[in-house]
Amino acid sequence: MGRSSTTRRLLAGSAAAVALCLLATGCSRPVDGIPTANDEPKVDTVAGLPASDGPSGRKPGATDAKLPVVGSTGGEIDTLAVDTVADVREYWKTAYPDTFDGTAFRPIARLVSYDSRNTDRRVCGQRLAGSANAFYCPRSDTIAWDRGVMLPKLRNTFGQIAPVTVLAHEIGHAVQHRAGLVDEDTPTLVSEQQADCFAGAFFRHAAEGSAPHIRVSTGNGLNTVMGVLSYIRDAPGRTGFADPQAHGTAFDRVSAFQYGFSDGPSRCAEITEKSVAERTTQFRFWKDKQESDLPVEPDNIRAVARSLRKVFGDTGFAPPRVILDSRSCAGAESTEPVSYCVETNTVSVRLPGLRELARPPANGERSSGYGDFAAYAQLASRYTLAVQESAGLSLRGDAAGLRTACLVGAWSGLLVEDPLGQRNPVGKLRIAPGDVDEGVAALLGDDSLIAADLTGSQVPAGFPRVEAFRIGFQQGMSPCASEYGA
Ligand SMILES: [Zn+2]
């Protein structure tokens, strides 16, 4: 997050048009080049499935799948991998012809298990020694995985569902090659997002209980899957992944996963170079120009408050006072580190707690913080409660939590600077792509206010939390009230 070096004039009319749409249905901010899914969010579900926490990974008691694997030692990781490949293959046996004009799905030609600590094997002309990876090689139609380092590390860090996620994604690459959706010139970003989307389609099948060996819960299970997608990267040099910078942000990847999960595999085929490029040129532009941190200081808190006031100004809301202490609020629980008091229309900020959250994650792993944007998004979330209060909306319950995430997303989307003139950024604050990822990480965590109601009660499943934020980010305020009404 950073400040724009020059004051940008708000293009006449744009903010007013956006803001007045808050309560109107069927009115949305026109944003060219931002693909929007046919989302029909339901407040208490995960893309229409019941939201629940529960175990994810291999189903207990399922008979091990049998598939020939070159180099397998039949250990735990290989068993999990084979069960996964068998289930994903089974899924595509039906889904592939349904999606691609009745064409039958050709099984993956070769599966290879290797131990990167100790192998002299080569796949795709590459030495596997020292390559902690899992990948698809289109030339020999091979899926290979490192059972020695990479998959065990993921399993130990995230649980059994992590290797499943990686392999479903790699088979997504096999699907896109079979369907002719990619060739040598396809940018990595496009093929990555398609593969994430295809993985999402499989995970819906698993979440519905239809996969014979693999299960995933729609609450903490999918939270983990989306966390893994944010974490993993393909190694360069395979399936054309030449540019290590071009893998997309966590926000891109999780969005693509959600498209596949919510709308099915035909949505994935619509992820094209054009649709992705329109988004990514913006991201690259901001990254060069605007990447910076905004330390949690009183001055910057005031700048964020001004930005929020400007973005929501034309809704006719009564702007809350933002104060730097935790003043008590009669008849209401306070939330940490920021709380909203309806009675006094005040947002109170506790600086130490907010600074904790603003600490950057170390080496991509979370320490105690998520980064500056995640911290300011907590402030924004409490601030949008004042917007909702003025609009006569309820501040309690899951609908309020999702509306809050959506409005925080809408605010973030209006801080985006766009070289093509498709967006009209509001105020002086700007966000960078890493900022959005901080927001996604916080939304997938269990301690964020971004998708929480007045009492700090967070919407239970991470999927709808991220989805609501994304819808606001991409489409502006208007769906926040219409989709998450009541
Ligand atoms: Zn990939």
Side-chain angles (χ1 to χ4, degrees), residues 130-415:
S131 172
N133 200 8
F135 63 92
Y136 173 67
C137 172
R139 224 183 324 147
S140 55
D141 194 32
T142 299
I143 301 262
W145 61 81
D146 172 21
R147 68 164 181 276
V149 178
M150 195 231 197
L151 292 193
K153 185 184 170 206
L154 282 172
R155 193 249 345 253
N156 295 342
T157 309
F158 295 98
Q160 276 189 355
I161 206 66
V164 175
T165 306
V166 169
L167 292 167
H169 168 98
E170 296 308 331
I171 296 174
H173 285 307
V175 169
Q176 74 193 168
H177 277 272
R178 279 162 170 69
L181 295 172
V182 290
D183 59 30
E184 283 171 3
D185 298 327
T186 305
T188 307
L189 248 150
V190 176
S191 59
E192 284 307 300
Q193 287 187 38
Q194 276 178 7
D196 289 336
C197 185
F198 285 135
F202 164 74
F203 270 102
R204 181 177 191 101
H205 176 77
E208 286 170 347
S210 307
H213 303 91
I214 302 296
R215 61 182 174 174
V216 65
S217 69
T218 54
N220 54 4
L222 290 181
N223 289 3
T224 305
V225 170
M226 291 185 287
V228 170
L229 285 178
S230 310
Y231 176 84
I232 53 163
R233 295 286 183 269
D234 286 305
R238 299 201 171 91
T239 50
F241 303 141
D243 179 4
Q245 299 305 309
H247 285 88
T249 61
F251 183 60
D252 288 336
R253 303 196 72 160
V254 167
S255 297
F257 177 84
Q258 294 200 329
Y259 294 147
F261 191 96
S262 299
D263 301 337
S266 49
R267 176 66 179 85
C268 309
E270 292 168 20
I271 296 177
T272 60
E273 187 170 345
K274 185 170 177 287
S275 73
V276 171
E278 281 160 350
R279 272 180 295 166
T280 54
T281 48
Q282 297 171 341
F283 272 93
R284 281 187 187 140
F285 181 81
W286 320 329
K287 194 161 197 170
D288 294 343
K289 289 262 186 196
Q290 302 292 349
E291 192 142 55
S292 61
D293 267 4
L294 201 64
V296 175
E297 300 293 349
D299 256 7
N300 291 332
I301 302 257
R302 280 189 283 274
V304 168
R306 275 197 301 276
S307 154
L308 286 158
R309 184 173 178 156
K310 204 156 193 173
V311 163
F312 296 110
D314 292 324
T315 64
F317 81 127
R321 253 174 13 106
V322 177
I323 57 169
L324 295 176
D325 65 30
S326 40
R327 207 165 292 173
S328 67
C329 177
E333 309 93 298
S334 70
T335 52
E336 286 296 324
V338 190
S339 53
Y340 175 61
C341 182
V342 182
E343 203 182 41
T344 57
N345 195 26
T346 304
V347 172
S348 21
V349 180
R350 230 174 40 81
L351 277 180
L354 206 61
R355 284 193 180 122
E356 284 277 296
L357 280 168
R359 235 187 262 172
N363 300 323
E365 318 251 354
R366 204 193 148 206
S367 46
S368 63
Y370 294 105
D372 66 329
F373 174 78
Y376 288 116
Q378 320 279 325
L379 167 59
S381 78
R382 300 305 89 185
Y383 196 97
T384 71
L385 290 170
V387 178
Q388 297 176 62
E389 171 69 12
S390 288
L393 295 159
S394 162
L395 303 188
R396 289 167 194 268
D398 288 348
L402 291 176
R403 211 159 40 226
T404 299
C406 183
L407 288 169
V408 174
W411 167 67
S412 318
L414 284 168
L415 307 188

